[in-house]
Amino acid sequence: MDVLQMDGMYNISLLGGQARAILIEGTQMVERARQTHKLSRTATAALGRTLMATSMMGSMLKGENESLTVTIKGGGPIGTVLTVGKSDGSVKGYVGNPDIELPRAANGKLPVGAAVGKDGRLTVVKDLGLREPYIGMVNLVSGEIAEDFAMYFTASEQVPSLVSLGVLVGERVEAAGGLIIQMMPGASEAAIQSVESSAGMFMDISGTMREYHLKGAVTQLLLHLEPEILSHSVPAYRCDCSRERVERALVSLGREELEDMIREQHGAEVDCHFCNKRYRLSEADLRDLLERATNRRSE
């Protein structure tokens, strides 16, 4: 991997505005997740694919403070795959079993589908700053992630979509890339046919990113669809946890819960699932939080 190559994401207009594409190179982002969680190769591929899809979906959000949470529960040995994305393309996430490793498939690919399973659902919760979040869910198609997101867009958001996601993992993440193509309302049959007939070109998205990187991938994959790059952003794996957030969460538990923690544990340790940072609070810290919880209740 070229260590100087930066991750990036393009928002692209296709066929004179009849379709749109989001193309991401997420090699460093997925490598950061692998290092943070000490992921096996299979877990790296599963979480990496989901992180890139979440980053691309996050870029579709309009408000600066909007976010979305993706949960995949397929009943497989990897457990839950959970990711959170923001409108700037930043993401964070984790898997239930980061050590999962299964034999490779006959074609040599990592067995993501077998690890995730397909007896379950993909759920998307969008926090758009409204009173109630938007919640969409679909049954899993294969557990391979890309097909499951394509089904989500088609069934839950009524936007037929082509989705390709790939992660190449050796000793580290060698390449990671993703592509979403969606038809716009009123697209001609010829435009739809052009996109559908191109699907085979997008299968090895990670191999394309390893060889050509983001800018070159536009030419390699989309040149025949008349691409016009509308915007560029830099996706990243970034956790926004803080001691203040931890304290707010503990206060929200209420007086009784805090009193139990003081009496039984004389303090607290809170781990962040997304970055593995540990926050330690002493008994005195908890008593301060108890006072805040008491004051809030009396207001």
Side-chain angles (χ1 to χ4, degrees):
M1 185 183 73
D2 180 359
V3 295
L4 299 178
Q5 185 67 35
M6 294 290 290
D7 283 352
M9 181 160 52
Y10 286 149
N11 191 323
I12 304 168
S13 173
L14 302 175
L15 298 168
Q18 296 186 80
R20 72 168 179 177
I22 301 176
L23 182 66
I24 186 173
E25 180 173 12
T27 307
Q28 295 178 53
M29 179 176 77
V30 178
E31 172 62 14
R32 174 75 184 275
R34 185 192 71 81
Q35 293 179 8
T36 297
H37 297 296
K38 298 179 173 56
L39 301 171
S40 69
R41 294 183 182 186
T42 301
T44 299
L47 183 58
R49 292 179 192 180
T50 311
L51 285 169
M52 289 188 293
T54 304
S55 180
M56 290 188 283
M57 290 179 69
S59 74
M60 299 178 190
L61 299 172
K62 295 180 171 56
E64 184 178 338
N65 296 318
E66 295 179 1
S67 65
L68 63 93
T69 301
V70 174
T71 307
I72 300 175
K73 293 184 178 181
I78 201 170
T80 298
V81 181
L82 189 147
T83 56
V84 179
K86 294 188 173 183
S87 58
D88 62 359
S90 65
V91 287
K92 57 185 180 181
Y94 63 86
V95 298
N97 181 4
D99 302 320
I100 180 68
E101 202 63 277
L102 299 172
R104 287 180 182 262
N107 59 7
K109 290 186 177 295
L110 290 167
V112 172
V116 173
K118 58 181 180 180
D119 183 19
R121 290 178 172 175
L122 182 155
T123 304
V124 176
V125 179
K126 294 183 182 180
D127 182 354
L128 306 177
L130 306 174
R131 181 171 295 179
E132 297 292 334
Y134 164 86
I135 302 176
M137 64 180 65
V138 292
N139 292 329
L140 293 174
V141 177
S142 66
E144 293 285 348
I145 312 295
E147 295 169 304
D148 302 302
F149 274 102
M151 175 59 73
Y152 165 78
F153 284 121
T154 301
S156 189
E157 297 195 358
Q158 287 75 54
V159 183
S161 304
L162 187 155
V163 181
S164 177
L165 301 164
V167 178
L168 282 175
V169 194
E171 291 303 311
R172 56 183 289 133
V173 177
E174 297 175 4
L179 174 68
I180 297 174
I181 298 181
Q182 298 180 326
M183 304 309 302
M184 304 303 286
S188 67
E189 283 298 322
I192 295 170
Q193 184 61 39
S194 293
V195 171
E196 289 180 346
S197 63
S198 304
M201 298 176 61
F202 311 138
M203 297 297 287
D204 186 19
I205 187 78
S206 53
T208 302
M209 285 299 170
R210 179 170 61 177
E211 184 141 358
Y212 299 101
H213 296 297
L214 183 64
K215 191 172 182 179
V218 176
T219 302
Q220 289 297 315
L221 300 176
L222 302 173
L223 187 61
H224 64 294
L225 297 176
E226 305 163 32
E228 178 188 354
I229 297 174
L230 303 178
S231 64
H232 172 259
S233 57
V234 180
Y237 189 96
R238 184 162 56 242
C239 184
D240 53 358
C241 73
S242 67
R243 187 177 179 88
E244 182 184 7
R245 285 191 171 203
V246 169
E247 289 178 351
R248 284 205 305 266
L250 289 172
V251 168
S252 71
L253 294 175
R255 288 177 53 195
E256 291 77 9
E257 189 81 21
L258 286 168
E259 287 170 347
D260 287 345
M261 293 169 71
I262 292 169
R263 184 172 57 254
E264 296 172 10
Q265 300 170 212
H266 307 290
E269 288 188 347
V270 180
D271 295 331
C272 176
H273 288 299
F274 298 106
C275 67
N276 296 325
K277 186 173 182 179
R278 174 166 290 178
Y279 294 90
R280 291 184 171 88
L281 294 92
S282 66
E283 183 171 343
D285 293 331
L286 291 184
R287 290 192 182 282
D288 287 341
L289 297 183
L290 177 60
E291 185 176 343
R292 280 164 53 182
T294 303
N295 291 339
R296 191 164 81 170
R297 185 170 178 177
S298 63
E299 288 176 355

